[in-house]
Amino acid sequence: QVQFVESGGGLVQPGESLRLSCAASGINFRLYTMNWYRQSPGKQRDLVASLTYEYNAIYADSVKGRFTISRDNAKSMVYLQMNDLKPEDTARYYCNPATGSFPWGQGTQVTVSS
């Protein structure tokens, strides 16, 4: 059974940091480019960061220099380190392989507010 479980979200103030984690199961994790997405109420789900199996990363312009994606293939985990958080980063965050053909997890809520 394919499953993605995100965790690590929370309520933080602007300028603070969070580290999101995603545990994948049911796939040959090391073969997939893994993505982090985010979605705010009433908006589409947007790509935040992507990391290939060769550890090549790309980022949305809005998070470049602040967010870092990483992975641990031995543990089938992908992470998103988020620094200098801004109110506009408030969203529900999801991980999923770049193929877009797998079910979504529940996500983890990140709220940035003073």
Side-chain angles (χ1 to χ4, degrees):
Q1 179 182 354
V2 177
Q3 191 175 23
F4 304 97
V5 179
E6 301 90 350
S7 62
L11 172 62
V12 297
Q13 294 188 345
E16 294 186 338
S17 299
L18 281 173
R19 187 188 191 221
L20 305 185
S21 300
C22 169
S25 59
I27 63 170
N28 193 343
F29 181 83
R30 65 183 65 247
L31 297 181
Y32 289 93
T33 292
M34 289 299 298
N35 293 349
W36 280 99
Y37 302 84
R38 65 186 181 189
Q39 186 171 25
S40 301
K43 295 187 177 181
Q44 67 179 20
R45 190 171 291 167
D46 291 328
L47 178 66
V48 175
S50 181
L51 185 63
T52 72
Y53 63 89
E54 295 176 321
Y55 297 89
N56 295 313
I58 60 170
Y59 299 92
D61 287 343
S62 59
V63 307
K64 280 181 182 175
R66 300 188 297 122
F67 289 13
T68 302
I69 187 172
S70 61
R71 66 191 293 161
D72 184 337
N73 287 339
K75 296 180 179 179
S76 297
M77 297 286 293
V78 60
Y79 306 97
L80 187 67
Q81 177 66 42
M82 307 187 295
N83 298 330
D84 189 23
L85 282 161
K86 305 176 185 300
E88 51 264 41
D89 295 319
T90 295
R92 196 159 193 88
Y93 285 71
Y94 302 84
C95 71
N96 208 272
T99 60
S101 57
F102 293 104
W104 294 90
Q106 295 297 307
T108 186
Q109 178 66 35
V110 173
T111 303
V112 185
S113 175
S114 56

